[in-house]
């Protein structure tokens, strides 16, 4: 028979709960600070893929792999970003079968705006916990992401 979870003082430091809370609060911050002010139609679901495209561009396949989602999922968001003139698709000059994603001029301007806002938030985080602790937290999160990508929680 499975054990039932009981919320105790110790459960306040449960990693999945803290990750959930931080994600929810970040989503709220993004909705208020990033996504609605300067670009109607852009929402928090667009942000991870939009920022992953980068200034040099990326193929849809590479984008899906980096985001660990299906090509269909990235295609849907890319179409939404194209509809609001943030991203454009072009055939790769090296391989006509590959579609490359690039920012439009409007998208590049918005990318710089978003990057600036995220850097400001990171600076605030560093003030709260210290640069060294922030860097340790980022390194730790990267290792946890890698763990889940490699093990898919099978251990």
């Amino acid at each position: 028979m499975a054990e039932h979870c009981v919320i105790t003082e110790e459960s306040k430091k449960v990693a999945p709960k803290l990750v959930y809370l931080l994600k929810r609060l970040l989503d709220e911050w993004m909705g208020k600070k990033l996504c609605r002010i300067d670009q109607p139609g852009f929402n928090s679901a667009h942000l991870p893929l939009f920022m992953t495209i980068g200034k040099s561009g990326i193929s849809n396949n590479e984008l899906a792999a980096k985001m660990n989602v299906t090509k269909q999922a990235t295609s849907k968001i890319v179409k939404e970003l194209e509809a609001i003139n943030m991203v454009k698709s072009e055939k790769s000059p090296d391989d006509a079968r590959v579609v490359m994603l690039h920012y439009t001029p409007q998208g590049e301007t918005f990318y710089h705006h978003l990057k600036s806002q995220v850097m400001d938030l990171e600076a605030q985080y560093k003030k709260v916990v210290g640069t060294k602790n922030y860097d340790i937290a980022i390194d730790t999160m990267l290792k946890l992401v890698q763990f889940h990508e490699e093990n898919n929680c099978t251990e």
Side-chain angles (χ1 to χ4, degrees):
M1 183 190 314
E3 285 186 35
H4 294 282
C5 292
V6 177
I7 297 175
T8 63
E9 282 300 310
E10 300 90 48
S11 70
K12 289 181 181 178
K13 289 189 176 185
V14 174
K17 176 186 174 188
L18 294 172
V19 170
Y20 167 78
L21 290 172
L22 184 58
K23 182 192 179 315
R24 189 175 55 93
L25 294 167
L26 273 170
D27 285 348
E28 184 179 330
W29 175 82
M30 285 188 288
K32 289 178 181 174
K33 185 81 174 172
L34 293 181
C35 301
R36 299 278 187 240
I37 297 171
D38 295 298
Q39 184 55 51
F42 191 93
N43 64 55
S44 59
H46 297 142
L47 187 67
L49 274 74
F50 181 75
M51 294 304 284
T52 302
I53 291 169
K55 290 174 52 177
S56 61
I58 193 170
S59 74
N60 194 51
N61 290 346
E62 290 172 312
L63 182 59
K66 281 188 175 187
M67 295 304 303
N68 198 20
V69 297
T70 65
K71 288 181 275 186
Q72 291 80 9
T74 58
S75 293
K76 178 184 181 291
I77 291 178
V78 166
K79 285 179 183 173
E80 292 171 3
L81 291 169
E82 287 176 323
I84 59 172
N85 197 32
M86 293 282 106
V87 172
K88 61 184 175 186
S89 301
E90 299 174 339
K91 296 272 185 194
S92 170
D94 301 326
D95 186 345
R97 298 169 296 172
V98 176
V99 174
M100 296 297 293
L101 307 170
H102 297 278
Y103 296 132
T104 62
Q106 180 180 342
E108 188 163 348
T109 299
F110 193 58
Y111 167 83
H112 290 294
H113 167 73
L114 293 174
K115 188 173 180 179
S116 171
Q117 295 299 312
V118 169
M119 289 173 66
D120 288 347
L121 179 63
E122 288 178 347
Q124 291 176 34
Y125 283 168
K126 289 175 184 179
K127 285 181 183 175
V128 171
V129 300
T131 299
K132 183 178 179 181
N133 286 335
Y134 180 78
D135 291 342
I136 290 169
I138 294 296
D139 290 342
T140 300
M141 286 188 284
L142 288 169
K143 287 177 185 175
L144 293 174
V145 166
Q146 182 179 2
F147 168 81
H148 282 281
E149 288 175 342
E150 290 173 357
N151 298 291
N152 199 18
C153 291
T154 56
E155 290 187 16

